Amino acid sequence: MLRYLLLLVLACAVLATEEDVLELTDEDFSTRVQEHETMLVMFYAPWCGHCKKLKPEYAKAAGIIKDNDPPVTLAKVDCTEAGKETCNKFSVTGYPTLKIFRNGELSQDYSGPREAAGIVKYLKAQVGPSSKDLLSEEAFEDFISKDDVAVVGFFEKESDLKLAFLKVADKLREKVRFGHTSNRDLLKKGVSDGIVLYRPKHLHNKFEPDTVTYDGEAKKENIESWINREYHGLVGHRQRDNTQDFKNPLVVAYYGVDYVKNPKGTNYWRNRILKVAKSFASVFNFAISAKDDFQHELNEFGFDYVKGDKPVIFARNAKNQKFVLTDDFSMETFEKFLNNLKDDKLEPYLKSEPIPEDNDGPVKIAVAKNFDEIVTNNGQDTLIEFYAPWCGHCKKLAPVYDELGEKMKGEDVAIVKMDASNNDVPEPYEVRGFPTLYWASKDGKSNPVRYDGGRELDDFIKYIARQATNELKGWDRKGKTKKQEL
């Protein structure tokens, strides 16, 4: 009975949350969207896996932000049933697609986070003024006491600095909380005409100041550059929705980062990282990340999981090469690692399968360790397929690709494949889905061209015949078979 009641309560909670998301159709979309000053609309398909993953986060966000001042409404449209015409009208070609509407008119595509807290933060930045007018000391104290960075402008009167500040606020409103004040008591405590960045209290430490004051020119681009440089501090809290802020060369410590459940333990390790990182701030960027949120990155560095409480340290240099601190973390081992990394004394980590003992087949097998030999320096035009063993489209292509390898025997063309799920893919190749194919001419290996043609045998042969540096022996430039002399 107790179990039944618990399930009933949970079901009601989910239902109540779902009710905060409006379900719109072709019949009522144009009228309902005009009723709301700001509305985020999710165009979805019920069968879409990404949509199913997003829906509970979307519903949770709707429940949080419905009472915001000013309010934001979240809605959804089923593109497979009652919302087909609306989805076509707004050129929806993939799912889920999210768009922001203001007073009934399409304003912009949504490009923010896909989890509840991130959605709420993004949308709050979309409504109201980009910089909050802090009229009292109480409002100011409340503004700078939140859990994220606050940037406050102190302006006794209108000035070029204030104008530039407000322009930056308009541009960065989705990322940064801006406030400004002309309150005389606050001006006496702060600066009469200046900008101050306040770090959140949970990130305060003795290795860097809690506040930073802007001392540059009254130029929009200078202020923006200053904010971006100072925003995360010496060792930033790198999360899934802000990874783009952290540029190479980057050193990241992965451990049980949790500022909600364990702020003291989180800062115990961060303070040790800060103490060492301070001496290398001009050389590297630093961050901490929750190991459970970045398991995919741990895998990229050869870690299936992280044992114990100590951080593991991974780094990427300016060339995007990967490096791992192989010793147990301590301030001594960390400092030694950074010195060796700075002096180029470390061997880059390469995720690679073993080099095949037998590689004489018609389709050559490339792994990370032999990529230069099999592809880059092979002296041949090369067609390479990046695949994953579990990929259905790759399995379908496999017999065609093998047959292509047989057909190209004796030609000055290499047919190659590489399991990109178990090997690092070198630059300039870029793989975002499987299979991905590239054509690399013998004289243009530094500038390979993505192959987007058909995947039948004849399609490949015609492409290779046309692109080959030297005309093929068995086919003319149009891909027609040459007559064999008797």
Side-chain angles (χ1 to χ4, degrees):
M1 184 67 178
L2 180 61
R3 183 182 178 187
Y4 172 77
L5 289 173
L6 180 60
L7 289 173
L8 183 62
V9 169
L10 289 173
C12 290
V14 172
L15 181 62
T17 306
E18 286 285 351
E19 288 177 351
D20 294 325
V21 180
L22 299 182
E23 181 79 52
L24 306 182
T25 67
D26 293 333
E27 292 184 359
D28 64 4
F29 184 89
S30 60
T31 55
R32 297 292 299 279
V33 76
Q34 290 179 23
E35 296 171 357
H36 302 272
E37 182 177 336
T38 305
M39 176 184 282
L40 176 64
V41 180
M42 175 175 69
F43 299 92
Y44 75 99
W47 46 260
C48 161
H50 292 296
C51 302
K52 292 177 182 177
K53 183 178 179 181
L54 175 60
K55 284 183 76 173
E57 295 293 322
Y58 194 73
K60 184 178 178 182
I64 296 172
I65 204 167
K66 66 178 181 179
D67 297 324
N68 187 65
D69 182 21
V72 180
T73 303
L74 272 63
K76 60 184 178 180
V77 176
D78 184 348
C79 293
T80 66
E81 293 294 338
K84 287 183 179 180
E85 292 182 11
T86 302
C87 295
N88 289 334
K89 178 181 178 181
F90 292 104
S91 303
V92 176
T93 57
Y95 310 113
T97 293
L98 290 89
K99 296 178 182 288
I100 296 174
F101 292 78
R102 300 184 194 277
N103 299 312
E105 298 293 328
L106 175 62
S107 173
Q108 66 191 80
D109 288 338
Y110 173 88
S111 58
R114 296 294 177 99
E115 39 80 29
I119 294 171
V120 170
K121 181 179 178 181
Y122 184 98
L123 291 177
K124 281 185 176 181
Q126 295 294 322
V127 295
S130 57
S131 178
K132 186 174 182 179
D133 193 356
L134 306 173
L135 301 175
S136 66
E137 290 189 56
E138 183 182 6
F140 168 77
E141 292 296 337
D142 180 67
F143 188 76
I144 65 170
S145 66
K146 305 299 183 185
D147 289 335
D148 53 359
V149 170
V151 179
V152 179
F154 297 85
F155 306 112
E156 189 172 3
K157 57 185 179 180
E158 298 300 315
S159 65
D160 290 341
L161 184 63
K162 181 177 181 180
L163 181 63
F165 171 84
L166 293 176
K167 286 182 178 179
V168 174
D170 286 337
K171 182 175 181 180
L172 299 183
R173 63 184 296 163
E174 295 170 6
K175 170 186 174 181
V176 184
R177 291 188 308 116
F178 289 92
H180 63 275
T181 186
S182 57
N183 180 288
R184 291 184 178 180
D185 292 331
L186 288 172
L187 293 177
K188 291 176 183 178
K189 290 183 178 180
V191 289
S192 60
D193 193 40
I195 304 168
V196 180
L197 181 147
Y198 295 84
R199 306 195 194 283
K201 289 184 178 179
H202 68 279
L203 294 182
H204 288 183
N205 61 82
K206 63 182 181 180
F207 304 103
E208 61 184 342
D210 299 336
T211 65
V212 188
T213 301
Y214 178 70
D215 60 0
E217 297 180 73
K219 293 183 178 180
K220 171 177 167 289
E221 57 271 18
N222 292 21
I223 299 171
E224 181 181 349
S225 177
W226 171 75
I227 292 173
N228 288 330
R229 183 174 65 253
E230 299 290 347
Y231 188 85
H232 291 289
L234 178 56
V235 178
H237 182 192
R238 181 171 172 269
Q239 304 173 75
R240 283 182 292 187
D241 64 353
N242 68 8
T243 54
Q244 70 281 354
D245 293 350
F246 296 86
K247 309 298 183 184
N248 292 343
L250 176 64
V251 180
V252 182
Y254 298 83
Y255 62 101
V257 176
D258 190 336
Y259 277 108
V260 176
K261 296 180 180 179
N262 188 20
K264 186 176 180 180
T266 298
N267 278 333
Y268 173 85
W269 292 114
R270 181 172 181 261
N271 286 334
R272 280 152 179 74
I273 294 160
L274 276 159
K275 187 173 183 179
V276 178
K278 187 176 181 180
S279 301
F280 297 86
S282 63
V283 184
F284 306 113
N285 298 311
F286 293 89
I288 58 171
S289 286
K291 59 184 179 181
D292 292 342
D293 290 342
F294 288 90
Q295 183 60 50
H296 62 290
E297 291 187 1
L298 301 183
N299 294 342
E300 289 178 9
F301 283 83
F303 280 66
D304 293 329
Y305 63 96
V306 176
K307 297 184 294 184
D309 297 330
K310 288 185 177 182
V312 293
I313 305 294
F314 301 150
R316 290 182 184 268
N317 63 11
K319 298 178 182 178
N320 204 37
Q321 293 175 306
K322 299 187 293 187
F323 300 88
V324 178
L325 172 61
T326 54
D327 298 319
D328 280 351
F329 176 85
S330 69
M331 287 189 288
E332 292 75 20
T333 59
F334 186 36
E335 184 175 9
K336 181 180 178 182
F337 171 78
L338 293 176
N339 275 315
N340 288 334
L341 183 61
K342 181 184 67 173
D343 296 336
D344 293 325
K345 292 181 178 180
L346 297 178
E347 189 73 24
Y349 170 79
L350 200 61
K351 181 181 179 182
S352 178
E353 294 178 301
I355 296 175
E357 295 182 7
D358 180 9
N359 206 1
D360 296 326
V363 176
K364 302 298 181 184
I365 299 172
V367 297
K369 290 180 179 179
N370 73 353
F371 193 90
D372 285 347
E373 175 190 348
I374 299 299
V375 178
T376 308
N377 302 320
N378 64 5
Q380 293 179 295
D381 294 332
T382 304
L383 182 70
I384 179 167
E385 175 203 3
F386 297 97
Y387 73 96
W390 43 261
C391 162
H393 294 295
C394 303
K395 293 176 182 178
K396 183 179 179 181
L397 176 62
V400 177
Y401 206 66
D402 288 340
E403 189 176 356
L404 177 64
E406 291 285 350
K407 293 287 186 181
M408 289 296 119
K409 279 184 176 180
E411 300 287 356
D412 192 20
V413 176
I415 307 301
V416 182
K417 65 180 180 181
M418 179 178 181
D419 178 356
S421 67
N422 288 304
N423 293 276
D424 281 339
V425 176
E427 294 182 338
Y429 298 91
E430 186 173 322
V431 178
R432 294 185 177 179
F434 302 111
T436 295
L437 294 98
Y438 278 91
W439 172 260
S441 64
K442 63 169 66 179
D443 298 323
K445 293 295 173 69
S446 62
N447 190 30
V449 177
R450 181 162 176 161
Y451 174 83
D452 290 317
R455 294 181 181 176
E456 298 298 329
L457 179 63
D458 192 50
D459 297 321
F460 286 118
I461 290 176
K462 286 182 177 179
Y463 178 87
I464 293 172
R466 185 172 64 254
Q467 298 293 333
T469 302
N470 302 311
E471 187 171 315
L472 299 179
K473 300 173 184 177
W475 294 267
D476 63 20
R477 286 295 185 182
K478 294 182 178 180
K480 293 183 179 180
T481 305
K482 294 179 179 179
K483 294 182 179 180
Q484 301 295 320
E485 295 183 5
L486 298 176

